[in-house]
Amino acid sequence: MWNASQGGGFMNSSVSSPSGGGTGTGDSKGKRKQNVVPVQISEVLTAPEEGFAVEGSEVGMVVVVGRVVSMEKAATKSTYHIQDDSGELEVIQWLEEGTNQPEFSEGSPVKVIGSIRTQGEKKHIMAFKISPVPTQEEYDAHMLEIVYTHLKLRQLQQKINGQIGATDGSLSNSMMGGGLGVQGAPVSSSAGQSFGNKNYDQVYSMIRQSMDETGLDRDSIFNQLRMKMSKVEMDNALDFLSSEGHIYSTIDEDHFKTTDGD
């Protein structure tokens, strides 16, 4: 669901538009949620001016999957129109000087990660990443991810509202399905990734090893690293990795996945 291909450029303290993207309402409204949630285009088109939520949970970033209907490229931005079975949406990707961002032709299936913006009364997505969808199976899987996410966020809200007993366990472990995938596993800097700080390396490595669909939660990270670092050091590592775009939060601000994991 919130797999690694969805990552890239998610700021920890706030989500700011790329250069030139200050046309949306709500850019100056302070902190934004950092979670990333798959949705249909119709959900974006009917989103409120501020505070877009899925099943009562406020959403920071959305993921949509569709086919390119048209594409226009200017000196500073690319503008796509993306269509899925529920509607058609404009997607704007600002181009940064010196970067080689891929372009997608008409008919190409793509996955878009970005934040919802409003210009006038028209909704669009300010894209932080656009990537190809290589197979029909992955394209179709997006709908399953949407259904799964709605279900799990609904359960999360029910737990918050006290409608699920405390004996049901935590969402990250029992309700979300699948184990953490790293219980008892040695912590090492996998994939040769090093940030020049052993705490950053260990936290990143642990998150990357997690097989949980919703990522690894903050308490589980600390429980396995408490003999190696303090909670403040762990939180500092999470802040660094998030602000540099190496990890992103998923169902809430305490569950993390890496942006370049398998």
Side-chain angles (χ1 to χ4, degrees):
M1 175 152 329
W2 294 272
N3 60 26
S5 64
Q6 295 171 357
F10 303 132
M11 303 303 292
N12 184 52
S13 59
S14 64
V15 176
S16 58
S17 297
S19 59
T23 56
T25 64
D27 281 355
S28 60
K29 298 299 182 181
K31 252 188 162 182
R32 293 179 181 275
K33 289 291 184 179
Q34 302 166 51
N35 53 348
V36 183
V37 177
V39 298
Q40 285 187 288
I41 285 176
S42 60
E43 294 179 77
V44 176
L45 296 176
T46 57
E49 288 279 333
E50 297 178 25
F52 176 58
V54 174
E55 297 295 340
S57 295
E58 190 174 346
V59 173
M61 297 273 188
V62 296
V63 182
V64 298
V65 170
R67 297 188 183 277
V68 176
V69 177
S70 64
M71 184 269 198
E72 295 180 12
K73 185 174 182 180
T76 58
K77 67 178 181 179
S78 294
T79 303
Y80 293 89
H81 283 84
I82 309 295
Q83 186 177 63
D84 67 8
D85 291 338
S86 70
E88 184 176 319
L89 178 70
E90 184 176 85
V91 174
I92 297 175
Q93 185 175 42
W94 292 93
L95 306 176
E96 296 183 14
E97 187 176 352
T99 61
N100 186 22
Q101 292 173 317
E103 297 179 12
F104 301 95
S105 58
E106 194 173 311
S108 300
V110 294
K111 175 183 289 184
V112 178
I113 304 107
S115 54
I116 300 174
R117 295 286 189 268
T118 304
Q119 190 167 19
E121 296 184 356
K122 184 180 178 183
K123 297 289 191 307
H124 65 274
I125 287 181
M126 191 70 66
F128 287 85
K129 184 174 183 179
I130 303 177
S131 56
V133 179
T135 65
Q136 184 64 39
E137 287 78 9
E138 184 175 339
Y139 186 92
D140 295 338
H142 181 69
M143 278 305 302
L144 298 177
E145 293 175 354
I146 292 171
V147 173
Y148 180 90
T149 303
H150 275 260
L151 172 63
K152 295 307 173 184
L153 288 176
R154 190 179 310 138
Q155 290 177 337
L156 178 65
Q157 283 302 115
Q158 289 171 343
K159 183 175 177 66
I160 292 171
N161 294 334
Q163 297 175 16
I164 294 179
T167 56
D168 283 357
S170 69
L171 283 171
S172 61
N173 293 335
S174 59
M175 294 175 64
M176 291 300 178
L180 291 174
V182 293
Q183 293 291 345
V187 177
S188 62
S189 295
S190 62
Q193 184 82 330
S194 178
F195 305 101
N197 180 298
K198 66 178 182 179
N199 291 341
Y200 300 169
D201 294 346
Q202 290 174 340
V203 171
Y204 175 85
S205 177
M206 178 160 288
I207 296 171
R208 194 175 192 276
Q209 291 178 60
S210 173
M211 303 304 293
D212 196 302
E213 291 286 348
T214 60
L216 194 57
D217 65 277
R218 191 183 298 264
D219 288 341
S220 295
I221 297 170
F222 182 61
N223 285 339
Q224 295 192 60
L225 292 176
R226 63 194 315 158
M227 302 301 292
K228 299 177 181 293
M229 67 184 73
S230 67
K231 192 171 190 306
V232 170
E233 289 173 325
M234 180 203 69
D235 287 338
N236 288 340
L238 290 171
D239 288 344
F240 168 81
L241 294 169
S242 181
S243 66
E244 293 297 316
H246 300 296
I247 63 174
Y248 62 97
S249 54
T250 58
I251 59 169
D252 57 34
E253 295 185 6
D254 291 316
H255 286 75
F256 302 93
K257 287 183 76 72
T258 60
T259 58
D260 62 347
D262 295 329

